[in-house]
Amino acid sequence: MLKQEEIDLLDGILKKHEYDASHVIAIMQEIQKEYHYLPEETLTYISKELKISEAKIYGVATFYENFSLEPKGKYVIKVCDGTACHVRQSTPILEAFRKELGVSEKKKTSSDNLFTVETVSCLGACGLAPVCTVNDTVYPAMTPEKVTEIINSIKEKEGV
């Protein structure tokens, strides 16, 4: 069940988009930016407010790879495993992130809910391979050694 502050947040997002159902993707992007995923209750709420069936809302949420129905960490690390990155050794980078954060292919989010590690088919930065992103920051020419630096820098920023 949504708290009043969450309803106010969602109403603000919906109002910004004039309760226009054709803006559903942009609305869902804003919700995901706030929660780091799409909570079920929020989708039910916007379904009702936009007068769109929940099936259609879930269809959008599951069609686009960028949307997540599972909680994610505050920092989402995407390790590219496209051809250029793969041949330039992205796998050891992925393994270094997983080892550093105690996550795996099945358990993608760290116990403190600070980090989520995912692989992606392509980040569109082949000339910078191997590459990863942490939220919107691109890290080019990655190495397993740089993983610890990145994680420590974020933890320091977070006061962890």
Side-chain angles (χ1 to χ4, degrees):
M1 185 163 171
L2 293 170
K3 298 175 189 166
Q4 187 58 48
E5 62 201 36
E6 293 175 301
I7 292 170
D8 294 344
L9 170 75
L10 295 172
D11 285 342
I13 292 169
L14 291 164
K15 185 177 180 182
K16 177 179 166 185
H17 292 278
E18 301 174 348
Y19 290 81
D20 186 339
S22 71
H23 294 190
V24 70
I25 292 173
I27 291 166
M28 291 168 70
Q29 287 172 324
E30 287 194 43
I31 293 169
Q32 183 161 288
K33 189 172 184 180
E34 289 293 327
Y35 290 89
H36 306 291
Y37 77 112
L38 296 171
E40 182 179 340
E41 314 83 60
T42 66
L43 297 180
T44 300
Y45 186 80
I46 67 167
S47 165
K48 183 181 73 150
E49 295 298 312
L50 294 175
K51 296 173 180 55
I52 300 175
S53 73
E54 283 189 56
K56 285 191 179 186
I57 295 283
Y58 276 91
V60 172
T62 56
F63 178 79
Y64 292 101
E65 191 175 312
N66 205 35
F67 288 131
S68 175
L69 299 174
E70 299 293 321
K72 291 189 178 191
K74 183 175 181 181
Y75 297 93
V76 178
I77 300 164
K78 294 182 180 181
V79 179
C80 183
D81 196 35
T83 304
C85 289
H86 187 79
V87 298
R88 292 192 179 131
Q89 302 299 307
S90 61
T91 303
I93 296 162
L94 174 63
E95 290 168 357
F97 273 117
R98 286 178 174 165
K99 183 178 179 189
E100 183 80 25
L101 298 170
V103 298
S104 66
E105 189 174 347
K106 289 184 181 179
K107 181 188 178 281
K108 296 177 190 274
T109 301
S110 60
S111 298
D112 60 6
N113 292 318
L114 200 54
F115 299 96
T116 297
V117 178
E118 303 174 334
T119 58
V120 292
S121 300
C122 185
L123 286 169
C126 302
L128 305 175
V131 66
C132 74
T133 60
V134 179
N135 293 348
D136 295 326
T137 304
V138 177
Y139 292 91
M142 275 299 296
T143 65
E145 294 74 29
K146 290 181 183 178
V147 167
T148 302
E149 294 172 28
I150 292 169
I151 298 302
N152 287 343
S153 171
I154 294 169
K155 285 183 174 181
E156 185 177 312
K157 181 174 131 182
E158 289 293 321
V160 179

